[in-house]
Amino acid sequence: NSRGEVSHRNRKAIGAALEAGIHVTISTGRSLTGALWCAEELGLTCPLMIYNGGMLADRVGNVLYSKELLPADALLAMEEGVKRGVTLCIWCGGKLYGHPLNERTADYVRFAGMEPLPAESLEALAEQGVTKVLWYGTKEEIPAFWEEMEKAPFENVHATPSQPMFLEFFHGEVSKAAALERLGVLLNIPREEMIAMGDGANDLELLAYAGLGVAMGNASPLVKKQADAVTVTNDNDGVAEVIEKYLL
């Protein structure tokens, strides 16, 4: 919900789905550390789709799939962010780096689940292999920055907002939809038998890929428009509504 908690009704509905033999997982822009508390609280055993689909990993940290940015693209995303005065949150080798370390990187800890390290050399991080570059700006400037980056000379990059103040950069082959497709192959589940729920721009491909794509009641107008159905908000147990209606 809006307080970052899993409600009793959602927990109960997800538990009932698991007992019925339905696979349930989390698809998020966060790292494994940032998603693990929720997976553990819900008793999920399915691989998690993290870094916006840039990685599939199980709960003990075994990486089943990973796709990193090309070094030149990672460096360009970081340099363009520096030019625009945003704060960089960089995921590299499972660690979080901040440039610069400030109140925004301190705030990002609530999403990341770990403390950031100082990014002493952006060039060195790019060469090591960057999973995700995140720009932490303001909700007023991020939409314009997103539009600008669509025209930037990247070789193969997928850029998408996640939170109103976040713009995230991944390899061009990375998306939540691509990760769901890989998970379907792993579990032998066709897309027609999948339900996806989401609320943000980084969920658009996910909702389009699944057999049934459901927008949360608190989703943006764009997400609602492109979804197959709309449930109630995250503060009114929208996930439970979908599970109870379609699966139980």
Side-chain angles (χ1 to χ4, degrees), residues 1-30:
N1 57 26
S2 59
R3 298 179 300 280
E5 304 163 339
V6 181
S7 72
H8 173 74
R9 183 182 172 197
N10 280 344
R11 188 182 297 109
K12 183 179 179 181
I14 291 170
L18 293 172
E19 288 181 9
I22 296 165
H23 293 282
V24 181
T25 190
I26 298 169
S27 180
T28 178
R30 303 186 188 198

Side-chain angles (χ1 to χ4, degrees), residues 50-64:
I50 52 180
Y51 298 120
N52 260 7
M55 186 177 290
L56 284 175
D58 62 23
R59 280 179 43 181
V60 297
N62 295 316
V63 176
L64 309 177

Side-chain angles (χ1 to χ4, degrees), residues 201-214:
N202 62 334
D203 295 315
L204 286 170
E205 293 121 328
L206 178 75
L207 301 187
Y209 179 82
L212 178 66
V214 183

Side-chain angles (χ1 to χ4, degrees), residues 77 80-81 84 86-88 134-137 149 165-167 169:
E80 290 295 326
R84 287 163 177 78
V86 299
T87 296
L88 301 179
L134 181 145
W135 291 8
Y136 191 150
M149 289 302 98
M165 60 285 194
F166 295 164
L167 181 61
F169 298 81

